[in-house]
């Protein structure tokens, strides 16, 4: 067995391990199962890559995302390490060769999705491999209490039986105490063994802001901060809209989401990583596997679905240990929408069953057939055909996937989007020349409110059914208008696909457990409550996060806006300001700000000024006409 320090130096050019890494490596190389709980940026991949290189044989890495696998493979190959991934885009021949190389060749790292573990071909070949370690990335996915539960992860316990002496290393950056226990039980750990680094990131400041104008707050922040950063939005539409606004301000900005093709995503990511682009506006598709240390800020334009997701995304800032900031902007209405989203994400069981039945009819699939068959599907067309909301259809399919009846491919695309750039007069100029174009524009203007101001979702099938224009005609006319810059038309591409995990079931055989359904819904509700508490509670944001992840010995960070605004008793700067102001008052009950700053020399000048601004906004003090004095209300 090779020396871990020698491997680290030779392939990664590091002189020393980070905190806990060597302890984790020693555990798995001595044959122990281990759960490594390291925060985002804590160097989890080194914990399985170094022992994988130290020991004879191949290291099996189970990962949920193709993009994450691709990043890891590229990284390893750049270091001269033989690594390969098996994914759904490969032919059977390619998969066959990759598995053979893992048995007979020189493959050191084999990356697979958890779904792959269930296939007969994989299980037969896996039994013949000399596997030195099974690494389970994003291990929280195995727990029903986790924020991203995936039943396919439960298959890992089954393959352990084929290689019973091979140790398992489970890795995650986000696990609550319940999830920590559940991971070890589900992975059949021989002995409980958790190696954990504190979730605390002393260099990273977390802030939440309730505002009526998120864009203005983001613009103000960017004007004052010139470093590299990420701005997360919840949807592709919002990503594009925010990008356009920031680009109009001549900022160094680009955008990223899963709807872009591979080459475009890679080019955008490379430019941002290399510093050619400073700001990336993105959905949560951006960030997994990104190894960029000097990110100075992460902003959230929208509220994440869970604190686990927020912690991962915010944690991409400040990996170099230098000061970094995370700011989450929200409006009160955003919280209300989040609450409503739970009902949308969990349609009634009868609706889910109805959509499953309609799906079989749509594919003209007989009861008892279709197992492992794959069908492309236009969700907009399907939703319109069977009179369902497209969002309800999508969430119903995701729940059917959770129940392991179907598999929905992860290349789901948004419906087409449209924004009219021209004014009515310019449009009319073209309408009078083309009857079909006139019919299309009139229908859009009649049915789509706000199409001049915002991007709207466009269902070409519905337009076709109402106007008698063909789909081809509609797309041709919209493309023509886009070419003339009358509209911005973003057509939907690359249809998602549905794969039947089981044969198509009859209504009476489609069993969805009400308990499982309610449990998943309750877990989602609890996670939403935790997010709302984090946003609205008058307490240190760092402490709230640490306590959520089970750390009890915490103290206020003294840096977040909650601490600076004095909501923690131990950091109540405003009380100190008021007491000092009373002592400094002259006969006219006015206080010189310069005198106050001098009297409170133990507090930073910026902290005092920020708190004075807050006190003015909340009518606790009144500023003098020249801004040099104030009085207490």
């Amino acid at each position: 067995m090779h020396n871990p320090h020698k491997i680290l130096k030779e392939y990664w050019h590091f002189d020393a391990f980070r905190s806990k890494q060597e302890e984790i490596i020693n555990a798995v190389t001595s044959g122990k199962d281990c759960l490594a709980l390291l925060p985002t940026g804590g160097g989890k991949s080194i914990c399985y890559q170094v022992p994988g290189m130290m020991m004879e044989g191949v290291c099996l890495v189970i990962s949920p995302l193709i993009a994450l696998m691709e990043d890891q493979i590229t990284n390893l190959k750049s270091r001269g390490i033989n690594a390969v991934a098996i994914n759904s885009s490969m032919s059977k021949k390619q998969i066959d060769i990759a598995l053979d190389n893992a048995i007979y060749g020189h493959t050191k790292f084999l990356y697979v999705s958890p779904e792959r573990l269930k296939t007969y071909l994989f299980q037969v070949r896996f039994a013949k491999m000399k596997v030195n370690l099974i690494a389970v990335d994003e291990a929280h996915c195995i727990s029903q209490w986790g924020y991203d539960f995936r039943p396919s992860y439960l298959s890992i316990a089954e393959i352990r039986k084929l290689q019973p002496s091979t140790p398992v290393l489970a890795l995650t950056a986000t696990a609550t105490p319940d999830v920590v226990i559940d991971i070890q039980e589900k992975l059949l750990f021989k002995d409980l063994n958790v190696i954990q680094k504190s979730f605390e990131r002393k260099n990273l400041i977390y802030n939440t802001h309730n505002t009526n104008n998120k864009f203005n707050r983001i613009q103000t922040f960017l004007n004052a901060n010139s470093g590299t950063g990420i701005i997360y939005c919840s949807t592709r539409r919002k990503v594009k809209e925010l990008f356009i606004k920031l680009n109009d301000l001549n900022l160094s900005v680009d955008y990223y989401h899963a709807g872009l093709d591979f080459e475009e995503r890679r080019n955008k990511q490379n430019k941002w990583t290399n510093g050619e682009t400073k700001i990336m506006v993105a959905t949560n598709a951006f960030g997994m596997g990104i190894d960029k240390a000097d990110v100075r800020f992460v902003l959230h334009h929208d509220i994440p679905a869970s604190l686990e997701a927020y912690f991962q995304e915010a944690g991409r800032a400040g990996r170099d240990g230098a000061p970094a900031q995370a700011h989450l902007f929200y409006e009160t209405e955003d919280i209300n929408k989040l609450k409503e989203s739970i009902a949308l994400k969990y349609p009634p069981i009868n609706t889910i069953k109805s959509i499953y039945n309609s799906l079989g009819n749509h594919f003209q699939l007989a009861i008892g057939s279709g197992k492992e068959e794959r069908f492309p599907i236009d969700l907009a067309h399907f939703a319109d055909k069977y009179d369902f909301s497209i969002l309800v259809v999508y969430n119903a399919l995701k729940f059917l996937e959770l129940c392991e009846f179907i598999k929905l491919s992860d290349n789901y695309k948004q419906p087409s989007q449209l924004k009219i750039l021209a004014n009515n007069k310019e449009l009319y100029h073209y309408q009078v020349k083309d009857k079909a174009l006139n019919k299309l524009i009139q229908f859009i203007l009649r049915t789509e409110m706000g199409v001049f101001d915002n991007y709207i979702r466009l269902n070409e099938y519905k337009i076709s059914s109402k106007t008698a224009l063909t789909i081809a005609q509609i797309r041709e006319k919209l493309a023509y208008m886009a070419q003339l810059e009358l509209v911005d038309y973003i057509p939907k591409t690359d249809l998602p696909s549905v794969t039947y995990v089981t044969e198509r079931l009859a209504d009476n055989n489609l069993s969805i457990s009400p308990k499982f359904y309610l449990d998943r819904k309750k877990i989602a509700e609890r996670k939403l409550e935790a997010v709302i508490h984090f946003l609205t509670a008058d307490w240190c944001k760092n402490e709230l996060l640490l306590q959520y992840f089970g750390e009890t010995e915490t103290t206020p960070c003294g840096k977040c806006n909650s601490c600076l605004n004095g909501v923690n008793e131990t950091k109540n700067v405003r009380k100190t300001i008021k007491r000092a102001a009373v002592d400094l008052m002259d006969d006219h009950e006015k206080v010189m700000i310069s005198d106050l700053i001098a009297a409170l020399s133990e507090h930073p000048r910026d902290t005092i000024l920020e708190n004075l601004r807050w006190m003015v906004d909340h009518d606790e003090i009144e500023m003098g006409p020249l801004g040099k004095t104030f009085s207490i209300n």
Side-chain angles (χ1 to χ4, degrees):
M1 188 181 293
H2 298 285
N3 181 282
H5 290 275
K6 185 178 178 182
I7 294 287
L8 185 70
K9 182 67 175 175
E10 182 179 350
Y11 290 97
W12 283 271
H13 311 299
F14 295 142
D15 293 318
F17 288 103
R18 295 185 193 175
S19 174
K20 302 295 181 180
Q21 285 181 331
E22 190 167 9
E23 187 180 348
I24 293 163
I25 290 166
N26 290 338
V28 296
T29 53
S30 64
K32 295 178 182 176
D33 295 330
C34 180
L35 169 56
L37 199 58
L38 301 177
T40 300
K44 290 185 291 297
S45 57
I46 288 286
C47 295
Y48 67 81
Q49 289 172 348
V50 168
M53 292 296 293
M54 289 171 61
M55 300 183 286
E56 186 182 351
V58 61
C59 173
L60 178 72
V61 186
I62 299 162
S63 179
L65 296 173
I66 292 175
L68 189 55
M69 292 187 207
E70 288 171 347
D71 287 338
Q72 293 290 341
I73 295 291
T74 302
N75 186 285
L76 287 169
K77 285 184 175 179
S78 71
R79 302 178 191 281
I81 299 170
N82 196 345
V84 67
I86 296 176
N87 60 58
S88 56
S89 67
M90 295 168 67
S91 68
K92 190 173 181 180
K93 177 80 171 170
Q94 289 173 307
I95 293 169
D96 206 36
I97 292 170
L99 291 172
D100 268 355
N101 285 340
I103 301 170
Y104 307 111
H106 302 287
T107 299
K108 283 302 294 179
F109 293 91
L110 177 64
Y111 283 77
V112 300
S113 68
E115 289 82 9
R116 181 68 50 188
L117 307 179
K118 290 184 172 184
T119 64
Y120 176 75
L121 177 63
F122 177 83
Q123 291 180 4
V124 169
R125 301 298 180 84
F126 177 74
K128 296 178 181 178
M129 292 178 199
K130 184 175 180 59
V131 181
N132 59 35
L133 177 64
I134 299 172
V136 183
D137 205 5
E138 307 295 332
H140 55 268
C141 294
I142 201 171
S143 172
Q144 64 172 324
W145 309 111
Y147 77 101
D148 194 18
F149 173 54
R150 301 192 183 199
S152 53
Y153 264 71
L154 298 172
S155 306
I156 301 169
E158 292 301 311
I159 69 160
R160 289 208 70 179
K161 297 171 185 176
L162 301 174
Q163 301 251 10
S165 61
T166 302
V168 167
L169 173 59
L171 305 115
T172 182
T174 49
T176 59
D178 285 342
V179 173
V180 167
I181 294 169
D182 208 24
I183 289 171
Q184 295 174 88
E185 290 178 350
K186 294 291 194 304
L187 288 175
L188 305 179
F189 272 33
K190 300 178 187 76
D191 297 295
L192 298 183
N193 182 27
V194 181
I195 298 177
Q196 179 173 357
K197 183 179 178 181
S198 172
F199 284 101
E200 186 169 18
R201 296 276 304 279
K202 291 184 183 295
N203 66 310
L204 181 55
I205 302 170
Y206 304 96
N207 285 303
T208 63
H209 308 274
N210 188 353
T211 175
N212 291 325
N213 194 324
K214 289 189 277 189
F215 177 71
N216 279 357
R217 293 297 295 268
I218 289 172
Q219 182 182 354
T220 300
F221 177 88
L222 295 177
N223 287 339
N225 294 271
S226 58
T228 297
I230 307 170
I231 307 176
Y232 282 111
C233 299
S234 59
T235 66
R236 299 172 190 178
R237 177 176 60 83
K238 289 183 180 179
V239 163
K240 192 68 182 292
E241 288 176 352
L242 183 57
F243 161 74
I244 290 170
K245 288 182 178 180
L246 296 177
N247 193 52
D248 287 344
L249 297 174
N250 294 319
L251 292 169
S252 176
V253 62
D254 204 345
Y255 69 98
Y256 184 108
H257 56 67
L260 304 172
D261 64 49
F262 174 75
E263 281 300 320
E264 194 172 4
R265 291 200 309 271
R266 185 170 65 178
N267 289 337
K268 287 172 179 285
Q269 182 173 321
N270 287 342
K271 285 182 179 179
W272 179 81
T273 302
N274 297 333
E276 295 175 56
T277 303
K278 287 291 185 182
I279 304 160
M280 185 66 80
V281 184
T283 62
N284 60 9
F286 184 73
M288 282 289 188
I290 286 177
D291 187 19
K292 185 169 172 62
D294 63 342
V295 179
R296 298 273 62 86
F297 61 85
V298 170
L299 309 184
H300 277 82
H301 179 274
D302 300 300
I303 304 172
S306 68
L307 285 185
E308 288 93 337
Y310 174 71
F311 185 76
Q312 273 202 342
E313 291 160 15
R316 291 176 185 129
R319 293 187 181 185
D320 55 3
Q325 304 176 61
H327 293 270
L328 195 166
F329 303 97
Y330 72 97
E331 300 173 8
T332 303
E333 184 59 26
D334 292 338
I335 294 178
N336 297 331
K337 288 178 181 177
L338 266 184
K339 291 175 180 177
E340 293 169 3
S341 73
I342 297 294
L344 289 172
K345 286 181 179 177
Y346 292 90
I349 290 177
N350 285 341
T351 301
I352 295 172
K353 288 184 173 183
S354 178
I355 288 172
Y356 177 85
N357 188 48
S358 299
L359 198 66
N361 294 338
H362 183 67
F363 298 137
Q364 298 182 339
L365 195 60
I367 302 294
S369 65
K371 184 176 181 179
E372 296 183 4
E373 287 190 49
R374 183 178 177 180
F375 301 90
I377 181 171
D378 185 317
L379 294 181
H381 182 205
F382 175 81
D384 186 50
K385 180 178 177 181
Y386 293 97
D387 198 23
F388 292 113
S389 156
I390 190 169
L391 196 56
V392 169
V393 167
Y394 178 71
N395 287 319
L397 294 181
K398 294 301 288 183
F399 194 82
L400 289 166
E401 182 177 43
L402 199 60
C403 296
E404 297 191 280
F405 294 122
I406 64 166
K407 169 73 177 168
L408 184 65
S409 67
D410 58 5
N411 62 333
Y412 169 69
K413 305 289 184 182
Q414 290 279 5
S416 298
Q417 296 176 60
L418 181 74
K419 182 179 180 181
I420 295 180
L421 306 175
N423 58 39
N424 277 312
K425 186 176 180 180
E426 290 171 312
L427 286 177
Y428 182 74
H429 175 73
Y430 291 91
Q431 284 177 259
V432 295
K433 296 179 180 180
D434 187 328
K435 288 183 179 179
L437 184 62
N438 179 52
K439 189 182 291 187
L440 174 61
I441 292 174
Q442 283 192 345
F443 179 82
I444 291 171
L445 294 180
R446 190 169 62 249
T447 58
E448 301 291 351
M449 301 295 291
V451 70
F452 287 96
D453 302 314
N454 300 299
Y455 285 83
I456 55 98
R457 293 183 176 187
L458 208 64
N459 186 332
E460 290 96 336
Y461 287 93
K462 181 171 284 187
I463 296 173
S464 176
S465 66
K466 302 295 183 183
T467 63
L469 297 171
T470 66
I471 301 295
Q473 279 180 302
I474 293 167
R475 289 175 175 164
E476 179 188 344
K477 297 301 179 187
L478 290 172
Y480 169 69
M481 292 168 70
Q483 190 175 7
L484 295 173
E485 297 187 343
L486 300 173
V487 303
D488 187 9
Y489 172 52
I490 306 170
K492 185 160 71 76
T493 58
D494 296 342
L495 293 176
S497 62
V498 169
T499 303
Y500 277 77
V501 177
T502 68
E503 68 279 2
R504 182 189 174 186
L505 301 171
D507 287 348
N508 56 343
N509 289 329
L510 183 66
S511 177
I512 297 177
S513 164
K515 183 180 184 306
F516 178 73
Y517 174 88
L518 291 173
D519 283 348
R520 296 308 307 163
K521 191 172 182 179
K522 285 177 183 175
I523 289 169
E525 288 169 345
R526 283 201 296 271
K527 291 191 178 299
L528 174 58
E529 288 168 5
V531 170
I532 294 172
H533 180 64
F534 175 72
L535 292 174
T536 59
D538 286 339
W539 200 252
C540 172
K541 300 307 177 186
N542 185 56
E543 277 198 292
L544 288 171
L545 281 173
L546 294 178
Q547 289 168 9
Y548 179 77
F549 289 113
E551 296 190 29
T552 55
E553 299 297 322
T554 64
T555 55
C557 71
K559 301 173 185 176
C560 70
N561 54 359
S562 291
C563 287
L564 293 177
N565 287 340
V567 296
N568 294 301
E569 289 298 319
T570 56
K571 295 290 179 181
N572 200 334
V573 180
R574 290 200 297 275
K575 286 185 179 179
T576 304
I577 289 173
K578 283 187 177 181
R579 284 195 296 267
V582 170
D583 293 337
L584 292 168
M585 277 183 185
D586 59 20
D587 294 338
H588 301 289
E589 297 188 343
K590 297 286 184 182
V591 180
M592 292 289 294
I593 292 177
S594 57
D595 291 344
L596 179 73
I597 290 171
L600 298 177
S601 58
E602 71 273 22
H603 294 289
R605 180 177 181 275
D606 288 345
T607 297
I608 295 170
L609 293 177
E610 183 172 341
N611 277 278
L612 286 174
R613 282 193 289 270
W614 188 95
M615 294 165 79
V616 169
D617 291 342
H618 291 77
D619 296 322
E620 291 187 10
I621 63 171
E622 184 175 343
M623 197 65 68
L626 298 178
K628 295 182 178 180
T629 63
F630 69 91
S631 59
I632 300 174
N633 290 337

